[in-house]
Amino acid sequence: MSERALRGTRLGATSYETDRGIDLAPRQTVEYACQNGHRFEVPFSVEAEIPQAWECRFCGQEAVLLDGDEPEEKKVKPTRTHWDMLMERRTREELEEVLAERLAVLRSGGMNLAVHPRDTRKSA
C-alpha cells in the first residue's frame, strides 16, 4: 500500500488481516439450562474438558449441562471455632487447672485490678 492509502485510517483500531486460509480449531457446541428455563449454547474445543455447570448468560444463576451428569457436591470443611483450636492444644483437665490457678490469683488479690485511669465512674 502506498502512503496515501493509509492516510486518514485509524491504524491501531482496525485490523487489515482476513480469516481466509485459516483453519480454526475443531469445536463442539454444548447446551446448558438454568432453573429459570433459560437455555443457551457454549462453544468448546473438542479437546476441552466440559464443565458440568456454567453461569447463565441471562440471569447469572448456575446452569447445568444438558444430557450430562449432575455436578459433584464439593466437600465442605466444618468451621473450626476458637474452642476447637484450644482443645487441640490442651485437655479439659489442663484447662480446669489453669482456671483454678487464675481464680486463686484473683481471689488472693495478686492482680492489680485498679480502676482504669479513663474510667470516670466513682468506685465505692
Side-chain angles (χ1 to χ4, degrees):
M1 287 189 188
S2 69
E3 191 175 304
R4 283 190 291 191
L6 294 176
R7 188 177 300 160
T9 63
R10 300 173 301 188
L11 282 177
T14 308
S15 174
Y16 292 104
E17 294 182 15
T18 62
D19 291 339
R20 281 185 270 158
I22 297 176
D23 292 327
L24 298 176
R27 298 171 190 238
Q28 60 180 330
T29 303
V30 179
E31 191 173 10
Y32 289 92
C34 76
Q35 293 176 348
N36 293 337
H38 300 129
R39 293 174 76 125
F40 57 94
E41 294 180 344
V42 179
F44 287 99
S45 169
V46 173
E47 301 169 356
E49 184 178 323
I50 307 300
Q52 295 295 319
W54 197 264
E55 183 179 321
C56 178
R57 295 181 177 180
F58 306 105
C59 63
Q61 291 188 358
E62 185 176 270
V64 182
L65 177 66
L66 291 178
D67 301 326
D69 300 330
E70 291 292 319
E72 295 178 14
E73 293 293 325
K74 295 180 182 177
K75 293 182 180 178
V76 179
K77 284 185 171 180
T79 46
R80 286 177 54 198
T81 63
H82 176 72
W83 180 254
D84 295 332
M85 291 183 268
L86 182 64
M87 293 307 288
E88 288 176 6
R89 295 189 307 266
R90 298 188 185 238
T91 64
R92 195 165 193 90
E93 292 79 27
E94 290 173 334
L95 290 173
E96 288 180 9
E97 187 178 314
V98 170
L99 177 63
E101 289 173 9
R102 295 285 92 201
L103 287 174
V105 170
L106 277 173
R107 289 181 182 136
S108 69
M111 292 183 71
N112 186 4
L113 294 177
V115 178
H116 194 276
R118 294 185 192 168
D119 194 0
T120 57
R121 293 177 287 167
K122 295 183 181 183
S123 58

